[in-house]
Amino acid sequence: MAVDTGTVTTSDRVTAPATERTGARTDEAAALIGGARERIDALDDRILGLVQERMAVSAVIQDARIASGGRRVNLSREMEILGRYRDALGKPGTALAMTLLELCRGHV
């Protein structure tokens, strides 16, 4: 009779047991963590797609602003965005917004 050790086999390689991969101490917790990590990976994929979409929309805005004789960056708008993220997420939200703004500014 075979005993399930929780070891996962992928093609020709053997990976560590689920409890080692997740840091959990029980198979039940490892399964829960594994499922939650899959959900996080799916959310990260969506977030990355949204960030890329935001970058593209921002490029359109910048092109229009520059073509009309304006500047690439609108600082008052950036302050609105920083405040919005700070209000929603606290101090880390400000850092996240700054990162997004930097990504969306294009090549300055």
Side-chain angles (χ1 to χ4, degrees):
M1 178 172 163
V3 177
D4 183 5
T5 62
T7 302
V8 177
T9 304
T10 307
S11 60
D12 292 334
R13 66 183 176 89
V14 176
T15 60
T19 53
E20 286 182 30
R21 287 191 319 277
T22 63
R25 295 188 181 224
T26 66
D27 289 337
E28 293 80 17
L32 180 96
I33 291 168
R37 283 183 177 171
E38 287 177 13
R39 180 74 175 129
I40 285 174
D41 290 344
L43 289 167
D44 284 343
D45 288 342
R46 288 175 48 201
I47 291 167
L48 290 169
L50 289 170
V51 169
Q52 291 168 336
E53 182 178 351
R54 188 188 196 288
M55 291 169 66
V57 172
S58 183
V60 169
I61 292 168
Q62 290 173 38
D63 290 346
R65 190 181 302 122
I66 291 167
S68 72
R71 305 174 95 194
R72 176 184 294 275
V73 176
N74 181 332
L75 295 178
S76 63
R77 174 65 176 148
E78 288 196 357
M79 293 306 294
E80 289 176 26
I81 294 166
L82 289 168
R84 182 176 177 193
Y85 276 73
R86 182 192 60 243
D87 291 347
L89 303 172
K91 186 176 178 181
T94 303
L96 176 60
M98 277 303 303
T99 300
L100 282 171
L101 291 169
E102 288 174 15
L103 284 168
C104 293
R105 283 184 189 135
H107 303 288
V108 178

